[in-house]
Each structure stands twice: as structure tokens, then as C-alpha cells.
């Protein structure tokens, strides 16, 4: 496996910054991602005790959607933000994707023609802005590019139906 615990240096006309990649916890899971999944499951359980959402379901979604914020060479920082940002394909109706015209003026995905799924949990901007967005880390910002926020949003989205998501088959 390649070394995933490394420094990320970013330089632009706005300055230079160096972030530390999240260390790895169990099962090749970045500790920032594990913290986000566990926190989101705990918080949604407190808000909706009948849902019984396990953090492992969020981890499964995070693995499939973005390899826990590491898709395409991105590195998940200790702050829960993948760098570079994870932006999906244009949702232009070609091939197996739906056609969704831009709903965020490119604010999240950089595309002013079509929407694109963004962040570690791959939220579509219209879903995020339509009520799914959450502030999972208490920093006052709701960002689909922050795994803390995106995990809590995914948890709330999953529990919105009022069902019990516990796995009683084990």
C-alpha cells in the first residue's frame, strides 16, 4: 500500500499551506473519517433514537463513494477535508448519469452548466442546499467537502424515512 499519511502542500496566488493527512485507524480507514462516521451515528441516534444507524453503514457509503475522502489521489486531512476536492462527472444526461442542470452557480463543483456530485459522500449540490446540508463539526459552516458535515448529512438523510436501520441479522 502506498503511504497515505503524508503532508499535502498547496501553493497558489493566495498563499501556501501545508496540511497533514489523517493517520490511519483500523482497516485502512483514515482516523478523521472514522471520527466523522462515529460522531454522525452518535448524533443522529441522539436526535432520532428509532433509527439505530451504525457508523459502519456510513463507513460503507464513504468507502464506495470516495474511498473515505481519498478518491483520485485526494488525501483526507486531519481537518476532514480531502485535498484536492472530490468532484464527480458532469450530470449531463450522457451515458448512465441523470441530466441535472447547475443549481449552485458552480459554488461547490466549479461547473456553472451541470451539477456534479461533490465531497467524500458525493452529494449533489441541489440535495445539499435543499435541506440535507449539516454542520457536523460545529465550525459554523455546512460543507459537502468536509467529511464531518457530509457524514452527518448522510446520516440524517438515511434516517429521514423514520425506519430502523439496525442490522438484527447477526
Amino acid at each position: 500500500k502506498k503511504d497515505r499519511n503524508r503532508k499535502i502542500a498547496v501553493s497558489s496566488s493566495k498563499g501556501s499551506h501545508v496540511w497533514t493527512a489523517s493517520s490511519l485507524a483500523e482497516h485502512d480507514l483514515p482516523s478523521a473519517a472514522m471520527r466523522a462516521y462515529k460522531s454522525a451515528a452518535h448524533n443522529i441516534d441522539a436526535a432520532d433514537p428509532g433509527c439505530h444507524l451504525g457508523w459502519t453503514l456510513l463507513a460503507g457509503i464513504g468507502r464506495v463513494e470516495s474511498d473515505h475522502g481519498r478518491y483520485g489521489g485526494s488525501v483526507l486531512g486531519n481537518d476532514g477535508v480531502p485535498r484536492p476536492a472530490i468532484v464527480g462527472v458532469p450530470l449531463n444526461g450522457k451515458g448512465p448519469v441523470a441530466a441535472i442542470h447547475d443549481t449552485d452557480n458552480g459554488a461547490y463543483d466549479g461547473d456553472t452548466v451541470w451539477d456534479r456530485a461533490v465531497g467524500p459522500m458525493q452529494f449533489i449540490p441541489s440535495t445539499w442546499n435543499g435541506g440535507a446540508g449539516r454542520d457536523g463539526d460545529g465550525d459554523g459552516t455546512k460543507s459537502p467537502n468536509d467529511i464531518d458535515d457530509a457524514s452527518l448529512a448522510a446520516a440524517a438523510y438515511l434516517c429521514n424515512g423514520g425506519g430502523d436501520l439496525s442490522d438484527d441479522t447477526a
Side-chain angles (χ1 to χ4, degrees):
K1 292 181 180 179
K2 64 183 178 181
D3 180 19
R4 295 186 188 215
N5 190 14
R6 60 182 185 229
K7 301 283 185 188
I8 306 116
V10 177
S11 295
S12 73
S13 60
K14 295 180 181 179
S16 298
H17 298 281
V18 176
W19 288 275
T20 302
S22 177
S23 60
L24 295 179
E26 298 175 50
H27 311 294
D28 192 40
L29 182 67
S31 56
M34 181 177 277
R35 179 187 67 238
Y37 302 145
K38 286 184 174 184
S39 176
H42 172 78
N43 288 334
I44 204 65
D45 189 47
D48 184 357
C51 183
H52 302 114
L53 176 68
W55 73 268
T56 54
L57 177 58
L58 293 170
I61 293 168
R63 171 67 176 99
V64 169
E65 293 296 343
S66 73
D67 190 20
H68 313 295
R70 302 177 297 194
Y71 178 78
S74 291
V75 178
L76 186 65
N78 281 333
D79 60 357
V81 178
R83 293 178 183 85
I86 299 169
V87 179
V89 300
L91 299 175
N92 58 14
K94 295 180 181 170
V97 300
I100 303 175
H101 289 278
D102 179 58
T103 62
D104 68 332
N105 201 30
Y108 296 123
D109 55 19
D111 190 333
T112 58
V113 177
W114 301 103
D115 266 349
R116 297 169 181 247
V118 294
M121 299 302 261
Q122 290 289 278
F123 273 94
I124 297 170
S126 60
T127 303
W128 187 263
N129 288 334
R134 298 287 189 279
D135 179 9
D137 54 10
D139 67 357
T141 302
K142 297 176 183 178
S143 173
N145 292 303
D146 182 326
I147 200 163
D148 298 292
D149 299 351
S151 295
L152 183 57
Y157 197 77
L158 288 166
C159 290
N160 189 34
D164 183 343
L165 297 176
S166 64
D167 180 8
D168 292 331
T169 61

Short mmCIF file of all heavy atoms in Angstrom, two decimals, residues 109-134:
data_model
loop_
_atom_site.label_atom_id
_atom_site.label_comp_id
_atom_site.label_asym_id
_atom_site.label_seq_id
_atom_site.Cartn_x
_atom_site.Cartn_y
_atom_site.Cartn_z
N ASP A 109 -19.09 22.73 -7.08
CA ASP A 109 -18.49 21.84 -8.07
C ASP A 109 -17.70 22.55 -9.17
O ASP A 109 -17.10 21.90 -10.02
CB ASP A 109 -19.56 20.95 -8.70
CG ASP A 109 -20.71 21.74 -9.31
OD1 ASP A 109 -20.55 22.95 -9.58
OD2 ASP A 109 -21.78 21.15 -9.51
N GLY A 110 -17.71 23.87 -9.19
CA GLY A 110 -16.97 24.61 -10.19
C GLY A 110 -17.59 24.58 -11.58
O GLY A 110 -17.00 25.05 -12.53
N ASP A 111 -18.78 24.02 -11.72
CA ASP A 111 -19.44 23.88 -13.02
C ASP A 111 -20.72 24.71 -13.01
O ASP A 111 -21.61 24.48 -12.19
CB ASP A 111 -19.77 22.40 -13.25
CG ASP A 111 -20.22 22.10 -14.67
OD1 ASP A 111 -20.77 22.99 -15.34
OD2 ASP A 111 -20.04 20.94 -15.10
N THR A 112 -20.81 25.69 -13.92
CA THR A 112 -22.00 26.55 -13.98
C THR A 112 -23.00 26.09 -15.03
O THR A 112 -23.99 26.76 -15.27
CB THR A 112 -21.60 28.01 -14.26
OG1 THR A 112 -20.87 28.06 -15.49
CG2 THR A 112 -20.75 28.58 -13.13
N VAL A 113 -22.75 24.93 -15.64
CA VAL A 113 -23.68 24.38 -16.63
C VAL A 113 -24.42 23.17 -16.06
O VAL A 113 -25.64 23.09 -16.13
CB VAL A 113 -22.93 23.99 -17.94
CG1 VAL A 113 -23.89 23.36 -18.93
CG2 VAL A 113 -22.25 25.21 -18.53
N TRP A 114 -23.67 22.23 -15.49
CA TRP A 114 -24.24 20.99 -14.94
C TRP A 114 -23.85 20.84 -13.49
O TRP A 114 -22.78 21.30 -13.07
CB TRP A 114 -23.72 19.77 -15.72
CG TRP A 114 -24.04 19.80 -17.17
CD1 TRP A 114 -23.19 20.12 -18.19
CD2 TRP A 114 -25.31 19.53 -17.77
NE1 TRP A 114 -23.86 20.06 -19.38
CE2 TRP A 114 -25.16 19.70 -19.17
CE3 TRP A 114 -26.55 19.16 -17.27
CZ2 TRP A 114 -26.20 19.51 -20.06
CZ3 TRP A 114 -27.59 18.97 -18.16
CH2 TRP A 114 -27.42 19.14 -19.53
N ASP A 115 -24.68 20.18 -12.72
CA ASP A 115 -24.29 19.82 -11.36
C ASP A 115 -23.37 18.62 -11.42
O ASP A 115 -23.37 17.85 -12.39
CB ASP A 115 -25.52 19.50 -10.49
CG ASP A 115 -26.01 20.70 -9.71
OD1 ASP A 115 -25.30 21.72 -9.66
OD2 ASP A 115 -27.11 20.61 -9.15
N ARG A 116 -22.60 18.46 -10.36
CA ARG A 116 -21.71 17.31 -10.18
C ARG A 116 -21.79 16.93 -8.70
O ARG A 116 -21.91 17.80 -7.84
CB ARG A 116 -20.26 17.68 -10.51
CG ARG A 116 -20.04 18.09 -11.95
CD ARG A 116 -18.64 18.70 -12.09
NE ARG A 116 -18.37 19.13 -13.45
CZ ARG A 116 -17.47 18.57 -14.25
NH1 ARG A 116 -16.75 17.55 -13.81
NH2 ARG A 116 -17.28 19.02 -15.45
N ALA A 117 -21.72 15.65 -8.42
CA ALA A 117 -21.67 15.20 -7.04
C ALA A 117 -20.34 15.65 -6.44
O ALA A 117 -19.31 15.63 -7.11
CB ALA A 117 -21.82 13.69 -6.96
N VAL A 118 -20.36 16.07 -5.17
CA VAL A 118 -19.17 16.62 -4.56
C VAL A 118 -18.90 16.02 -3.18
O VAL A 118 -19.82 15.58 -2.49
CB VAL A 118 -19.25 18.17 -4.43
CG1 VAL A 118 -19.26 18.83 -5.79
CG2 VAL A 118 -20.46 18.59 -3.63
N GLY A 119 -17.64 16.04 -2.81
CA GLY A 119 -17.21 15.67 -1.47
C GLY A 119 -17.12 14.18 -1.22
O GLY A 119 -17.41 13.36 -2.10
N PRO A 120 -16.71 13.84 -0.01
CA PRO A 120 -16.48 12.44 0.32
C PRO A 120 -17.73 11.55 0.33
O PRO A 120 -17.63 10.36 0.17
CB PRO A 120 -15.85 12.48 1.71
CG PRO A 120 -16.04 13.86 2.22
CD PRO A 120 -16.32 14.75 1.06
N MET A 121 -18.91 12.16 0.46
CA MET A 121 -20.14 11.37 0.42
C MET A 121 -20.92 11.63 -0.88
O MET A 121 -22.02 11.13 -1.05
CB MET A 121 -21.02 11.67 1.64
CG MET A 121 -20.34 11.32 2.97
SD MET A 121 -19.84 9.61 3.13
CE MET A 121 -21.19 8.96 4.08
N GLN A 122 -20.33 12.40 -1.79
CA GLN A 122 -20.87 12.64 -3.13
C GLN A 122 -22.30 13.18 -3.13
O GLN A 122 -23.21 12.59 -3.70
CB GLN A 122 -20.73 11.39 -4.00
CG GLN A 122 -19.29 11.09 -4.36
CD GLN A 122 -18.74 12.09 -5.36
OE1 GLN A 122 -18.97 11.96 -6.55
NE2 GLN A 122 -18.04 13.11 -4.89
N PHE A 123 -22.49 14.32 -2.50
CA PHE A 123 -23.79 14.98 -2.51
C PHE A 123 -23.94 15.82 -3.76
O PHE A 123 -22.99 16.49 -4.20
CB PHE A 123 -23.96 15.89 -1.28
CG PHE A 123 -24.49 15.17 -0.08
CD1 PHE A 123 -23.64 14.64 0.87
CD2 PHE A 123 -25.86 15.01 0.08
CE1 PHE A 123 -24.14 13.98 1.98
CE2 PHE A 123 -26.38 14.34 1.19
CZ PHE A 123 -25.51 13.82 2.14
N ILE A 124 -25.14 15.83 -4.33
CA ILE A 124 -25.46 16.72 -5.44
C ILE A 124 -25.78 18.08 -4.81
O ILE A 124 -26.48 18.14 -3.79
CB ILE A 124 -26.66 16.17 -6.24
CG1 ILE A 124 -26.26 14.82 -6.87
CG2 ILE A 124 -27.10 17.15 -7.32
CD1 ILE A 124 -27.42 14.08 -7.49
N PRO A 125 -25.27 19.17 -5.37
CA PRO A 125 -25.50 20.49 -4.76
C PRO A 125 -26.95 20.80 -4.43
O PRO A 125 -27.24 21.36 -3.37
CB PRO A 125 -24.93 21.46 -5.80
CG PRO A 125 -23.82 20.68 -6.44
CD PRO A 125 -24.37 19.27 -6.53
N SER A 126 -27.89 20.43 -5.30
CA SER A 126 -29.30 20.73 -5.02
C SER A 126 -29.81 19.95 -3.81
O SER A 126 -30.65 20.45 -3.05
CB SER A 126 -30.18 20.44 -6.25
OG SER A 126 -30.08 19.08 -6.62
N THR A 127 -29.31 18.76 -3.58
CA THR A 127 -29.69 17.98 -2.40
C THR A 127 -29.09 18.63 -1.15
O THR A 127 -29.77 18.79 -0.14
CB THR A 127 -29.21 16.52 -2.53
OG1 THR A 127 -29.76 15.96 -3.71
CG2 THR A 127 -29.62 15.69 -1.33
N TRP A 128 -27.82 19.02 -1.24
CA TRP A 128 -27.15 19.65 -0.11
C TRP A 128 -27.87 20.95 0.28
O TRP A 128 -28.21 21.16 1.43
CB TRP A 128 -25.69 19.93 -0.46
CG TRP A 128 -24.92 20.43 0.71
CD1 TRP A 128 -24.64 21.73 1.02
CD2 TRP A 128 -24.36 19.64 1.76
NE1 TRP A 128 -23.93 21.80 2.19
CE2 TRP A 128 -23.75 20.53 2.66
CE3 TRP A 128 -24.31 18.27 2.02
CZ2 TRP A 128 -23.09 20.09 3.80
CZ3 TRP A 128 -23.66 17.83 3.15
CH2 TRP A 128 -23.05 18.74 4.04
N ASN A 129 -28.10 21.80 -0.71
CA ASN A 129 -28.75 23.09 -0.45
C ASN A 129 -30.24 22.96 -0.17
O ASN A 129 -30.84 23.87 0.40
CB ASN A 129 -28.53 24.05 -1.62
CG ASN A 129 -27.10 24.55 -1.67
OD1 ASN A 129 -26.41 24.60 -0.68
ND2 ASN A 129 -26.67 24.93 -2.87
N GLY A 130 -30.84 21.84 -0.57
CA GLY A 130 -32.27 21.63 -0.38
C GLY A 130 -32.65 21.13 0.99
O GLY A 130 -33.78 20.70 1.20
N GLY A 131 -31.73 21.13 1.93
CA GLY A 131 -32.05 20.74 3.29
C GLY A 131 -31.18 19.64 3.86
O GLY A 131 -31.20 19.38 5.06
N ALA A 132 -30.38 18.97 3.03
CA ALA A 132 -29.54 17.89 3.53
C ALA A 132 -28.31 18.40 4.27
O ALA A 132 -27.80 17.74 5.18
CB ALA A 132 -29.10 16.97 2.39
N GLY A 133 -27.81 19.58 3.91
CA GLY A 133 -26.58 20.10 4.48
C GLY A 133 -26.60 20.20 6.00
O GLY A 133 -27.61 20.60 6.59
N ARG A 134 -25.51 19.81 6.62
CA ARG A 134 -25.37 19.84 8.08
C ARG A 134 -23.97 20.35 8.45
O ARG A 134 -23.04 20.27 7.66
CB ARG A 134 -25.51 18.43 8.68
CG ARG A 134 -26.85 17.75 8.46
CD ARG A 134 -27.93 18.39 9.33
NE ARG A 134 -29.18 17.66 9.32
CZ ARG A 134 -30.11 17.74 8.38
NH1 ARG A 134 -29.92 18.49 7.32
NH2 ARG A 134 -31.23 17.06 8.46
#
